């Protein structure tokens, strides 16, 4: 009981400053829009009530319109209310993405005809790629140059580099994923390359001095890990005693370590990629 009281007091103090907050002013929303998305002209403001204000803008560079809203969210913890806090919403992403699609639409259609492919774009639910291509034949020899060409169409319009991390995905005629052109890395990556990159990025988080060397295949039993400590991930192949696992080998201060492509339970109730490196 005492712990609960202390917890409630801590939360009350933590959120006390949030109680009574109000939506952002028009001036604050305008500043937010210009700072986040580039120069824009305020078209109009709608103050629907004291908990929701929406400002509509016209992008100065391209002329498309979008909105930024400021609204209040109530903070509920264990069924108790701790006041409310201001949040912002917007539809800038989809409006900007749709604008670029309109600009490159004719070029995409020409590429479809020229290379006998289908090109699809995001419906805006979650924009993580510029476009996807699917081959209509077995000839995929131009996949690296073609995906780059499509990526270049988008990035030529996106002069502010807002979509720097987006990719162009490619699939064969059977719908099998081939890989993606990564604008941020200036290169084509196969599906296997992308898997490797994930572990190389994880290695870089272990130490600023970590240097990736190579990968090797070994039996799971060679790791010395108890199979009971392995976290079996739904949708991934089950790790067994007889499984082959991948070692991603790296050095820190000239000493060699490796990270494996399976998760193990950590000491705090979570899980982590198994590695021989200890911070």
């Amino acid at each position: 009981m005492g712990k609960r009281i202390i917890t409630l007091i801590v939360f009350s103090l933590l959120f006390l400053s949030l109680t009574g907050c109000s939506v952002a002013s028009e001036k604050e929303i305008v500043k937010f829009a210009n700072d986040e998305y580039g120069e824009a002209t305020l078209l109009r403001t709608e103050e629907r009530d004291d908990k929701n204000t929406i400002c509509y803008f016209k992008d100065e560079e391209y002329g498309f319109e979008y909105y930024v809203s400021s609204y209040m969210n109530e903070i509920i913890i264990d069924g108790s209310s701790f006041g409310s806090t201001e949040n912002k919403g917007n539809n800038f992403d989809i409006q900007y993405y749709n604008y670029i699609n309109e600009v490159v639409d004719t070029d995409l259609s020409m590429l479809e005809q020229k290379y006998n492919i289908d090109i699809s774009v995001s419906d805006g639910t979650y924009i993580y790629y510029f476009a996807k291509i699917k081959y209509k034949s077995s000839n995929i020899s131009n996949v690296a140059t073609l995906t780059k060409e499509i990526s270049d169409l988008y990035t030529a319009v996106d002069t502010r580099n807002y979509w720097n991390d987006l990719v162009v995905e490619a699939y064969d005629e059977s719908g099998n994923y081939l890989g993606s052109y990564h604008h941020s890395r200036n290169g084509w990556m196969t599906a296997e390359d992308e898997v490797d990159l994930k572990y190389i990025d994880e290695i870089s988080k272990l130490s600023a001095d970590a240097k990736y060397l190579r990968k090797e295949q070994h039996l799971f039993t060679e790791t010395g890990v108890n199979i009971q400590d392995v976290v079996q991930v739904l949708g991934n192949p089950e790790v067994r005693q007889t499984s082959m696992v991948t070692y991603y080998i790296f050095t820190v201060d000239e000493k060699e370590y490796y990270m494996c492509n399976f998760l193990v339970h950590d000491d705090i109730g979570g899980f982590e990629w198994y590695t021989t490196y200890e911070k």
Side-chain angles (χ1 to χ4, degrees):
M1 185 69 177
K3 275 189 174 182
R4 180 172 176 80
I5 292 173
I6 292 172
T7 300
L8 288 174
I9 291 173
V10 170
F11 276 124
S12 296
L13 292 173
L14 180 62
F15 294 111
L16 184 62
S17 61
L18 298 175
T19 306
C21 285
S22 60
V23 295
S25 66
E26 178 184 273
K27 182 178 180 181
E28 290 170 331
I29 295 175
V30 170
K31 183 179 186 305
F32 173 86
N34 280 272
D35 289 345
E36 291 291 317
Y37 309 123
E39 293 298 319
T41 300
L42 177 65
L43 300 177
R44 67 185 188 280
T45 299
E46 294 180 5
E47 295 181 1
R48 298 184 175 179
D49 51 46
D50 60 353
K51 294 184 178 180
N52 192 352
T53 296
I54 303 178
C55 292
Y56 295 86
F57 297 91
K58 181 177 181 180
D59 185 80
E60 286 286 353
E61 185 174 7
Y62 296 126
F64 64 87
E65 297 182 9
Y66 66 95
Y67 71 78
V68 175
S69 64
S70 176
Y71 57 93
M72 303 303 295
N73 261 359
E74 190 174 5
I75 302 168
I76 304 294
I77 299 176
D78 291 336
S80 300
S81 175
F82 290 88
S84 56
T85 181
E86 186 265 346
N87 289 272
K88 290 183 177 66
N90 69 86
N91 68 341
F92 177 85
D93 282 12
I94 184 59
Q95 293 298 92
Y96 188 19
Y97 180 70
N98 285 343
Y99 168 78
I100 296 179
N101 281 325
E102 290 176 6
V103 174
V104 302
D105 182 66
T106 300
D107 291 313
L108 294 182
S109 296
M110 291 174 63
L111 289 175
E112 284 183 316
Q113 296 175 19
K114 180 178 179 180
Y115 294 108
N116 192 30
I117 58 172
D118 284 325
I119 300 177
S120 59
V121 299
S122 173
D123 63 2
T125 304
Y126 179 58
I127 305 169
Y128 66 90
Y129 57 85
F130 283 131
K132 293 181 179 181
I133 69 169
K134 182 180 180 182
Y135 282 89
K136 294 182 179 181
S137 70
S138 59
N139 182 11
I140 60 172
S141 59
N142 64 349
V143 65
T145 56
L146 180 53
T147 49
K148 180 183 187 305
E149 187 173 351
I150 294 172
S151 179
D152 288 347
L153 288 175
Y154 280 86
T155 54
V157 181
D158 179 28
T159 55
R160 67 192 71 177
N161 294 320
Y162 185 79
W163 296 120
N164 188 55
D165 294 329
L166 295 195
V167 301
V168 176
E169 296 184 348
Y171 297 79
D172 67 18
E173 60 180 335
S174 299
N176 299 308
Y177 179 62
L178 299 172
S180 299
Y181 181 84
H182 291 247
H183 170 63
S184 61
R185 296 180 180 272
N186 297 312
W188 162 259
M189 301 185 72
T190 65
E192 183 179 354
D193 291 335
E194 291 178 329
V195 171
D196 292 345
L197 179 62
K198 176 178 72 173
Y199 293 103
I200 293 170
D201 284 345
E202 289 296 328
I203 286 170
S204 69
K205 296 176 186 178
L206 296 176
S207 169
D209 298 319
K211 296 178 181 179
Y212 172 70
L213 298 179
R214 64 189 183 279
K215 66 177 180 178
E216 298 176 357
Q217 295 293 116
H218 294 272
L219 277 169
F220 169 79
T221 51
E222 293 181 36
T223 66
V225 176
N226 188 326
I227 194 68
Q228 301 301 319
D229 292 331
V230 175
V231 179
Q232 303 291 355
V233 180
L234 186 66
N236 286 359
E238 183 179 354
V239 179
R240 302 173 181 271
Q241 294 281 8
T242 55
S243 296
M244 295 296 293
V245 297
T246 305
Y247 284 33
Y248 290 91
I249 300 168
F250 62 98
T251 60
V252 176
D253 297 330
E254 299 184 356
K255 186 175 181 180
E256 210 166 272
Y257 305 91
Y258 62 85
M259 175 181 285
C260 290
N261 62 335
F262 61 84
L263 294 163
V264 292
H265 296 284
D266 61 21
D267 297 329
I268 56 175
F271 45 84
E272 60 189 359
W273 298 108
Y274 175 69
T275 179
T276 54
Y277 177 76
E278 294 183 7
K279 295 182 180 180

